[in-house]
Amino acid sequence: MSTQHEVPSYLTQKEIGPWGVYLEQIDRVTPYLGTLARWVETLKRPKRILVVDVPIERDDGSIAHFEGYRVQHNTSRGPGKGGVRFHQDVTLSEVMALSAWMTVKNAAVNVPYGGAKGGIRVDPKTLSIGELQRMTRRYTSEINIIIGPNKDIPAPDVNTNEQVMAWMMDTYSMNQGSTASGVVTGKPISLGGSLGRREATGRGVYVVGCEAAAKRGLDIKGAKVAVQGFGNVGGIAARLFAEAGAKVVAVQDHISTIVCDTGLDVAALQAHVTQHGSVAGFGGGDAVNDRSRFWEVDCDILIPAALEQQITEANADKIRAKIILEGANGPTTPGADDILHDKGVLVVPDVIANAGGVTVSYFEWVQDFSSFFWTEDEINQRLTRIMREAFGAVWTLAQEKNVSLRTAAFIVACTRVLQAREMRGLYP
Ligand code: NAD
């Protein structure tokens, strides 16, 4: 990244990380915002940041402390909305960037939310189930003052799942004195969760993948697909592409890289991951020791679905895919974006490609408020329609302005956010 950005006093230039990537993306969209550019600084400053200490008693009687965050980036268009991540590399910069990308994503698909995100710096694999529950409940109690069904609604992200959401919902409800199912989404169905939510992000990746493939004249049947991250997003996306006749030729997770030119058996791989916690050791493909070789795999569609800043200036040039579907948030740096653009690779940005999750989270929240639940068919049809419309609008704008899909998505989204900002005016 070439540009030096103004660093908030609570981050050093060295720590700017993913937040710096986001600022660069905002700089790139600013020339297209017309008179709304007057308000653009709003997007460069998170509305509210809460840093919390999360102490727990470990099973052996010792006390452990973890650092937790909840960042509400923007609430101009509605309550904050965004996931909670448990990962050993979580930083404030990362949570800030993820919260900002939620603002952009929610506006890009036009769901009535602002953007927020949370996280705890912890490797949850080192905790027992009891420790995990105590940590989740203490974190929820600490951020209790700023979350709520009309204020800020957390959801699952990396290393958090339906069980974690159930504990968050229960803790918040206990503090309130009544059951508040709408405080989180991604809950178990039995607690007011929505059918189709677990698969929603991966399904959305698949839906926009089909749209992008049609634009490029690529047949999904027989297309070669490579997926980084085989969790909620990557695992489901891989399954849906395989079911549609594509060949999943490479999968990488935090431990291992597995390739198979004739196509992996995705159902068997999923069963292996459920049992062993990783793709490592899967017998239906070849393990590759050099992790960087994943980016050179011969494929048509590449789906980064793990963490930020994976596609960089160091590997972008080696990528052979025609289409990249950003299942992860922030997987591509601005420098890599430029290289991919010059190579003619079509990048469907995170704020569109992975918006299926928050879209069905929105459906879940609406269903919780009305206490009336929809069928899975209804959910999937509405999801597909919203994803196609969002992709179509961004595609058309990108053609009109001769910009990338990312810049077009940011134009659509930032315009919506800043129009809301302008119409609300500044208080007081
Ligand atoms: P997950 O915890 O279910 O899965 C994460 C996967 O990434 C695992 O397979 C893990 O092994 C792999 N991984 C972790 N570190 C890695 C590394 N260094 N190299 C390669 N693989 C690595 O998480 P998820 O919910 O699937 O989220 C994945 C991405 O999708 C994140 O960027 C998240 O923010 C984004 N996302 C998730 C949702 C959702 O609904 N879950 C919605 C939108 C975006």
Side-chain angles (χ1 to χ4, degrees):
M1 199 178 17
S2 50
T3 323
Q4 288 268 310
H5 290 283
E6 193 188 337
V7 183
S9 61
Y10 39 85
L11 293 180
T12 64
Q13 183 72 48
K14 204 166 140 252
E15 290 164 344
I16 196 161
W19 179 248
V21 171
Y22 163 75
L23 292 180
E24 177 92 21
Q25 292 167 344
I26 292 298
D27 284 349
R28 288 178 177 213
V29 74
T30 304
Y32 300 96
L33 296 177
T35 55
L36 287 170
R38 174 174 173 244
W39 294 95
V40 82
E41 194 65 24
T42 304
L43 298 171
K44 296 183 173 183
R45 291 167 191 267
K47 175 187 172 65
R48 189 177 283 133
I49 293 175
L50 183 60
V51 183
V52 295
D53 174 37
V54 186
I56 61 159
E57 185 170 355
R58 303 222 45 169
D59 293 345
D60 65 5
S62 64
I63 308 294
H65 290 259
F66 303 100
E67 193 163 297
Y69 309 93
R70 185 73 189 169
V71 177
Q72 295 170 349
H73 173 258
N74 191 289
T75 56
S76 296
R77 300 179 69 253
K81 183 90 191 80
V84 174
R85 176 175 294 193
F86 293 167
H87 194 275
Q88 60 276 16
D89 297 332
V90 164
T91 60
L92 177 57
S93 157
E94 178 181 63
V95 181
M96 284 165 62
L98 291 166
S99 71
W101 285 321
M102 289 308 299
T103 301
V104 177
K105 185 185 310 179
N106 292 334
V109 291
N110 213 4
V111 290
Y113 293 129
K117 201 85 181 192
I120 304 180
R121 190 178 314 130
V122 60
D123 179 357
K125 295 182 185 73
T126 62
L127 302 182
S128 70
I129 190 81
E131 291 168 339
L132 183 67
Q133 178 170 178
R134 292 197 287 284
M135 185 188 72
T136 302
R137 287 184 180 278
R138 181 61 189 249
Y139 169 71
T140 309
S141 291
E142 294 295 342
I143 65 166
N144 185 61
I145 46 174
I146 63 166
I147 62 171
N150 289 310
K151 286 161 114 183
D152 179 2
I153 307 113
D157 192 74
V158 174
N159 291 331
T160 55
N161 57 18
E162 291 177 4
Q163 176 61 78
V164 170
M165 292 307 113
W167 291 329
M168 289 190 76
M169 183 276 236
D170 183 67
T171 305
Y172 180 86
S173 298
M174 289 298 111
N175 282 318
Q176 295 297 305
S178 61
T179 295
S181 50
V183 67
V184 292
T185 58
K187 296 178 295 291
I189 304 290
S190 58
L191 296 178
S194 177
L195 294 167
R197 173 61 185 90
R198 191 184 301 154
E199 297 82 14
T201 310
R203 183 174 296 281
V205 170
Y206 170 71
V207 170
V208 297
C210 293
E211 299 296 295
K215 296 285 185 200
R216 277 288 146 99
L218 176 72
D219 195 351
I220 295 293
K221 210 170 166 40
K224 292 183 175 185
V225 179
V227 188
Q228 188 200 38
F230 200 73
N232 176 277
V233 180
I236 302 285
R239 192 192 86 205
L240 293 174
F241 274 105
E243 284 172 3
K247 284 190 281 188
V248 178
V249 293
V251 170
Q252 178 175 80
D253 74 359
H254 65 295
I255 298 180
S256 187
T257 308
I258 308 283
V259 298
C260 177
D261 203 44
T262 52
L264 293 156
D265 178 342
V266 175
L269 181 58
Q270 186 64 67
H272 177 90
V273 171
T274 305
Q275 199 184 347
H276 302 282
S278 166
V279 302
F282 180 63
D286 299 321
V288 176
N289 288 331
D290 179 357
R291 291 180 66 78
S292 68
R293 288 217 8 237
F294 172 78
W295 304 106
E296 300 165 24
V297 163
D298 179 19
C299 64
D300 302 299
I301 298 175
L302 174 64
I303 307 176
L307 299 173
E308 308 82 55
Q309 293 178 285
Q310 297 298 301
I311 304 178
T312 65
E313 284 161 79
N315 58 20
D317 200 33
K318 299 182 187 139
I319 287 173
R320 294 157 77 179
K322 300 177 184 73
I323 297 171
I324 296 180
L325 306 173
E326 292 188 336
N329 287 305
T332 312
T333 65
D337 250 346
D338 293 339
I339 295 170
L340 295 167
H341 181 262
D342 291 347
K343 277 164 61 96
V345 180
L346 179 62
V347 179
V348 185
D350 46 8
V351 293
I352 294 290
N354 71 32
V358 76
T359 301
V360 177
S361 275
Y362 167 57
F363 298 163
E364 178 175 335
W365 183 73
V366 169
Q367 291 172 84
D368 288 339
F369 271 118
S370 59
S371 298
F372 178 75
F373 291 87
W374 313 346
T375 66
E376 193 160 358
D377 268 359
E378 280 174 291
I379 305 265
N380 288 342
Q381 276 173 29
R382 287 179 205 238
L383 169 66
T384 302
R385 181 174 55 77
I386 288 180
M387 296 302 293
R388 283 189 184 149
E389 282 177 7
F391 178 88
V394 166
W395 179 271
T396 305
L397 188 68
Q399 303 295 305
E400 257 171 49
K401 305 247 181 228
N402 194 21
V403 294
S404 67
L405 292 183
R406 190 184 317 280
T407 300
F410 269 65
I411 296 173
V412 170
C414 295
T415 300
R416 285 185 180 139
V417 176
L418 297 182
Q419 273 172 348
R421 172 74 283 164
E422 186 168 69
M423 292 189 78
R424 286 177 67 157
L426 281 184
Y427 175 86

